[in-house]
Amino acid sequence: MGANTRFDRLSDFERHKANVRVECICGHRGILDAVKLRRWFFCHRWSDAVEVLGAHLRCSVCLGRPVRVRPTVERPDRPEWMMHEHDWKRLIQRLRN
Ligand SMILES: [Zn+2]
């Protein structure tokens, strides 16, 4: 990742094969799969702009909003999240109702 690389949208993370590291004020941090996160936002029709990402994410420990979002080469810490195609089918069905 070059110094000039910008990470303004989830598509930037995906293009640079980076994952998304989110940090909470409580000290908890999570690593999210950028490809799945982008699809998740797309399904919800949310903007994938990094500056508004935090409005749709919550800390699994304190339920706070992330204070910092940045690219990482670390592996996702919940690889089982939305792993199967039927997870996505279920999500889309739920969003339709
Ligand atoms: Zn927290």
Side-chain angles (χ1 to χ4, degrees):
M1 288 175 224
N4 299 325
T5 307
R6 293 185 60 105
F7 288 90
D8 295 332
R9 313 194 73 88
L10 285 176
S11 51
D12 298 326
F13 286 70
E14 195 174 333
R15 181 153 26 91
H16 294 290
K17 306 208 184 317
N19 284 317
V20 186
R21 180 187 171 107
V22 289
E23 297 176 10
C24 180
I25 201 158
C26 78
H28 183 73
R29 45 182 75 95
I31 314 294
L32 300 164
D33 183 312
V35 176
K36 286 194 270 186
L37 192 61
R38 185 171 174 225
R39 188 172 178 188
W40 177 265
F41 272 61
F42 180 81
C43 288
H44 285 86
R45 298 169 184 260
W46 294 334
S47 163
D48 74 337
V50 166
E51 58 183 14
V52 298
L53 224 58
H56 301 295
L57 300 175
R58 273 193 188 282
C59 174
S60 58
V61 175
C62 75
L63 301 181
R65 301 291 186 191
V67 290
R68 198 157 174 242
V69 177
R70 62 184 180 88
T72 180
V73 294
E74 293 167 273
R75 313 292 304 158
D77 55 10
R78 284 171 60 205
E80 72 284 359
W81 178 69
M82 300 305 280
M83 191 167 66
H84 303 290
E85 209 47 43
H86 64 77
D87 296 327
W88 295 101
K89 286 210 183 94
R90 206 176 301 144
L91 170 67
I92 288 162
Q93 265 173 4
R94 182 162 62 78
L95 292 173
R96 272 201 203 116
N97 297 331

